[in-house]
Amino acid sequence: MTGITKAPSSSAPIRSSLIQQLLEQQLEDLRDCREGEVADYIPELAKANPEDFGIVLATADGRVYAVGDWEKTFTIQSISKPFMYGLALSLLSPSFMEKKVGVEPSGDAFNAISLDPRTGIPRNPMINAGAIATAAQVWRHDPGRAEALTLEFFSTLAGRPLAVNESVYESERASGHRNRAISHLLRNAAVIEEEPEPGLDLYFRQCSIGVTCRDLAVMAATLACQGRNPLTQDEPLNPAITTRMLAVMGSCGMYDYAGQWLYDVGMPAKSGVGGGVLAVVPGRLGIAVYSPRLDAFGNSVRGIATCRRLSQALELHLFDQTPLQQSPVRSTYKGTERRSRRWRSTAEAEVIDPLRSQIKVLHAQGVLDFAALENVLGSIEQAATDGAVIILDLGQVSELPAASKALLQRQAELLQTAGKQLLLCRSSHLELPAALSRKKFTYASLDLALEAAEDLLLEISCGEESAGEGSAGEGSAALAAPQKGTPTDVGLLGLLAPLAADLREAITERLELRQYAAGTLVMGRQQESDQLFLVASGRFSIFLPILRPEAPSRLARMATFSEGMVFGDAAFFSGELRMADVVADTDGSCWLLQRSAFEELQEDNPAAAIALLTQLAIDLGRKVALCGQQLTLVEDL
Ligand code: DON
């Protein structure tokens, strides 16, 4: 049976895909390859069907493509060795295991009865001597639960319960004289500290675990995902361990065929005399092949041929890496092309606008491994030559490895020393360290980062002015922060300032002052719009619900208004229901004009009503023009 199988819950095959067809083609092309012999030195293994042939590919995001005899169970044999080595590293630590087993290719056959003459320990954990030494240490770690621990571990790797094939175990235990000799050689060299039989028996048990070709591909994909099973999300291993496992698989996994394998195929791999071959493309996918006929090295003939063909056809060779083509910096531009949605007072705008080109925005993307991050750091340094505040948007970055996080933190420190400021935004999915995710450095959105950058320009500019005046001067705090306490005389507020005193008075006597505590919902979407708001003090933000079927709904900031600014005007005139919420960011107050009061004004003092409408039209015109400019610019970014 063939078919794409997703996570364990969906076993029914789905219509075959291109990848499926590609694997089926491999089956076809190699079906007539009948070189090699089924293993018989362990008598039970001789019962395998030499025609069996299955291929499975499992991707790092959990898709599994399976063809041929992918469901047939066979024993894992030596493919268990790297995983048992990973278990030992996890339980006992790499530093301990390095004293018990080396990590050097031996060039010997898998069953060589030899220790490294230099160190007196087995050369690596992939040959039987190293594997038996490894099993002995797992047994010694917990004699009572060693086998249970092993089976639990292997089952988590495969994503389903696995069990020992008792017939193969009995057959191997009864015929395993060579391995018994190896275990006594290890005892003699004090690599195994006690009687060798229990550790050897655990080794026989691990080799006799029954698996399918699909299980092996999922186990390989778990290694590709640095120890996380891409189907179940369980994490039986971590990157520090899987790196070591893949290293010894790459150098020793195919025994004295390891060199030719790395040359032809270029993937960390492991074979077993049960007929399995498992190969890993780190970070991308796992491949498994099952076909019992073996070559002289004890590797599956069809298994080797299939992996070689897939490596060449799909360009999977570890050393065949195309140079970084897509730039990790998707786009970069200045603060003149994109501003925050914080509406600035005339006074603030007079300071900020001439300096906007000193804000530099960089949008990064993809996996920022060292090579990609080096490219980003170069762009940041370039931006810092004439920029005061650099914003790095990480929203499209899929991965930021630990080493890159450390380099980014160092870059931020270097910029700070040079009097520049690096701000990050949209990084919550990257789990940044505290030093990089602190307040006033990392922002949830680009809009908020732009607002912070504008505030920094105010600080820098007002700081310089103050320094120039030698006095406290009017620092940025006076410009950027909301005015506390009683509101300014409404007549002096921006909108009404240009009006003649009598007209202004006719309007202001109809306004009512209302106080709002920080966090108050001033007006809600879908509410009637019969009030006009003129900010007297504090800050007020408008939020629009962003409803996406595939993502959690959220509120996006449309604008933030401060003293002298009007909001609620669009709906006030259209009479339509409000489309957004308005919230008080800080304690503040607003002058309200009720629709009834406006209608009275139109009756009693049409000139004043017209003057107000004119001012509102000018204000709305400015807002529409700026929004239009920003929208147009943003489309090209
Ligand atoms: O110890 C043995 O000989 C077997 N249990 C495992 C050998 C093996 O799978 C060699 N790999 N190709």
Side-chain angles (χ1 to χ4, degrees), residues 70-77 79 154 158 160 162-163 165 206 208-216 219 276 290:
W70 60 273
E71 288 181 293
K72 279 216 170 169
T73 300
F74 54 98
T75 51
I76 195 171
Q77 295 301 330
I79 299 173
F154 277 67
R160 73 179 186 98
L162 300 181
N165 178 321
Q206 83 185 52
S208 306
I209 292 174
V211 291
T212 66
C213 199
R214 186 183 190 280
D215 293 330
L216 291 183
M219 293 168 80
Y290 165 52

Side-chain angles (χ1 to χ4, degrees), residues 337-349:
E337 298 182 74
R338 187 173 201 161
R339 57 180 66 199
S340 81
R341 295 194 191 96
R342 165 89 181 272
W343 290 85
R344 298 291 175 169
S345 64
T346 311
E348 286 177 340

Side-chain angles (χ1 to χ4, degrees), residues 327-338:
S327 166
V329 177
R330 181 164 61 85
S331 68
T332 174
Y333 49 85
K334 297 178 182 175
T336 46
E337 298 182 74
R338 187 173 201 161

Side-chain angles (χ1 to χ4, degrees), residues 41-42 77-78 110 128 172 179 203 207 255 271-273 298-299:
Y41 74 99
I42 299 171
Q77 295 301 330
S78 284
F110 69 82
N128 284 12
E172 176 144 21
N179 284 333
Y203 169 74
C207 286
Y255 310 116
S271 61
V273 289
N299 301 322

